[in-house]
Amino acid sequence: MSEGFRIEPLDGDGVRLIGELDLASYDEAAHQLSRLLESDGDVTLDISELSFVDSSGIRLFIRLHLALEGRGTLTLRSPTPQVARILRMSGVADVGIGVEESGQ
């Protein structure tokens, strides 16, 4: 995994993504996050410590969302202002991915 990226479990359901989700970290992130799809239900990704996401990270979010269709939903929680801007520009909410910004 990229030195600038890691995944930590949260108390309860979901995980926290930390660092930069980009092409360098995509394969390992996809592998680790695929474990969240092993059971039915909603998946929450706390991205409050995700400092950067590029198109490969957006692709991963969409891939997870599509894998959950009919079984649960994907929610991205507490993006930083920079990541929230990227998510808005990429239109991830338009495909049905929940984005919960701080203060909502």
Side-chain angles (χ1 to χ4, degrees):
M1 186 176 306
S2 170
E3 284 185 36
F5 179 80
R6 68 182 191 278
I7 298 174
E8 294 180 350
L10 292 173
D11 291 337
D13 295 329
V15 296
R16 176 175 290 124
L17 308 184
I18 301 168
E20 297 183 357
L21 179 55
D22 55 17
L23 185 59
S25 57
Y26 178 87
D27 289 337
E28 185 62 28
H31 175 72
Q32 287 194 33
L33 292 175
S34 69
R35 294 179 186 157
L36 297 174
L37 302 174
E38 293 175 358
S39 60
D40 289 346
D42 299 337
V43 172
T44 299
L45 303 180
D46 180 321
I47 58 173
S48 61
E49 295 184 45
L50 192 65
S51 60
F52 176 77
V53 61
D54 71 2
S55 61
S56 57
I58 299 299
R59 179 179 62 184
L60 179 56
F61 294 150
I62 292 170
R63 186 175 138 203
L64 290 170
H65 165 70
L66 293 173
L68 285 167
E69 275 189 326
R71 301 182 306 127
T73 61
L74 175 64
T75 301
L76 307 175
R77 187 174 64 203
S78 302
T80 63
Q82 177 182 346
V83 171
R85 182 174 166 267
I86 293 168
L87 295 174
R88 281 191 299 276
M89 288 175 30
S90 67
V92 297
D94 297 338
V95 298
I97 297 172
V99 179
E100 294 179 358
E101 294 188 46
S102 297
Q104 289 187 356

